[in-house]
Amino acid sequence: MGVVKSAIGDMLMTFSWVVLSSTFGIQTAAIISAGDLQGITWAPLVILTLMIFVYVSIFTVIFGGASFNPTGSAAFYVAGIPGDTLFSLAIRLPAQAVGAAGGALAIMEFIPEKYKHMISGPSLQVDVHTGAIAETVLSFGITFAVLLIILRGPRRLLAKTFLLALATISFVVAGSKYTGPAMNPAIAFGWAYMYSSHNTWDHVYVYWISSFVGALSAALLFRSIFPPPRPQKKKQKKA
């Protein structure tokens, strides 16, 4: 039952994040217009960073230990962090993909027509091999940064969340001209399902295989630098 609850939490969180994050462009444009910030080049990045910080903080309170990124869940397992097993990952990861597909379908169904051109997900901007390399490097970088921030970063939760927001924006900007970027197979799957490209080799190669290769490589490197503590053996009592 614990695994099922975790999977349901993951599905709901991923659904909610896809719906919310797809409107970041709309929200940013509205804030810039309301604050008369047009022409200020750094304004969109600052606004987006603060939005991610606020929303991730809210999601942490609402969903607790749920996750919306399959590579993140797998990376924590490979890094030796207690919590998941191969069985629980086999249940949670598909739930995240289902939640993402539901979120993409829902937002495109209910968003007003005038805003639909501002809604989009990750998409390949280069040839497939370049995209795969980019997604591998980006997934490696964001995964190592997340592990470092969460496990070795500041103790205060708000400080961790702010650093995560900064790291996310940095890698999104770096990968925007290559793969979108996704750095999250579930979210990439959700939007690919929306456009019926979820079962193509390009999608699987770039957004699943490459993302997992990058994320798990980062987890292995992190584990080699910061080995998890070994469980202490119980001393047998002498008769």
Side-chain angles (χ1 to χ4, degrees):
M1 287 301 296
V3 175
V4 174
K5 287 182 179 179
S6 295
I8 293 173
D10 287 355
M11 183 172 63
L12 293 175
M13 185 180 192
T14 310
F15 175 93
S16 303
W17 184 257
V18 169
V19 171
L20 182 64
S21 62
S22 64
T23 65
F24 281 173
I26 298 172
Q27 294 182 61
T28 301
I31 293 172
I32 289 175
S33 177
D36 195 22
L37 302 174
Q38 295 89 345
I40 302 178
T41 55
W42 49 262
L45 288 179
V46 172
I47 293 170
L48 190 54
T49 301
L50 292 176
M51 279 198 299
I52 292 175
F53 168 69
V54 171
Y55 290 135
V56 169
S57 299
I58 294 172
F59 271 50
T60 301
V61 172
I62 295 174
F63 294 104
S67 170
F68 59 82
N69 192 334
T71 57
S73 302
F76 274 87
Y77 171 77
V78 171
I81 309 306
D84 272 307
T85 64
L86 288 176
F87 174 75
S88 65
L89 289 175
I91 303 298
R92 296 182 68 182
L93 269 57
Q96 293 166 354
V98 170
L105 291 171
I107 190 65
M108 293 305 290
E109 179 69 24
F110 295 108
I111 196 76
E113 191 68 33
K114 64 178 180 179
Y115 294 121
K116 284 190 175 181
H117 70 283
M118 301 177 69
I119 303 293
S120 64
S123 60
L124 195 59
Q125 309 292 323
V126 292
D127 68 89
V128 65
H129 296 301
T130 302
I133 294 171
E135 197 68 17
T136 300
V137 173
L138 292 167
S139 295
F140 178 93
I142 189 65
T143 301
F144 193 85
V146 167
L147 290 170
L148 194 63
I149 292 168
I150 291 180
L151 301 176
R152 296 286 172 170
R155 294 183 179 180
R156 292 184 179 274
L157 180 59
L158 288 179
K160 288 181 185 287
T161 306
F162 185 70
L163 289 176
L164 289 173
L166 284 177
T168 300
I169 288 298
S170 299
F171 285 102
V172 166
V173 171
S176 60
K177 295 182 179 179
Y178 295 93
T179 58
M183 301 177 291
N184 185 323
I187 291 180
F189 173 84
W191 289 105
Y193 183 83
M194 176 72 199
Y195 297 109
S196 301
S197 61
H198 61 288
N199 56 354
T200 63
W201 166 246
D202 288 1
H203 170 74
V204 174
Y205 176 37
V206 173
Y207 294 108
W208 283 91
I209 296 176
S210 300
S211 291
F212 269 100
V213 168
L216 298 185
S217 298
L220 289 172
L221 176 62
F222 184 88
R223 184 168 184 159
S224 68
I225 299 173
F226 305 107
R230 295 181 179 179
Q232 295 181 350
K233 295 182 179 180
K234 294 182 180 180
K235 295 182 179 178
Q236 295 182 349
K237 294 182 180 180
K238 294 182 179 180

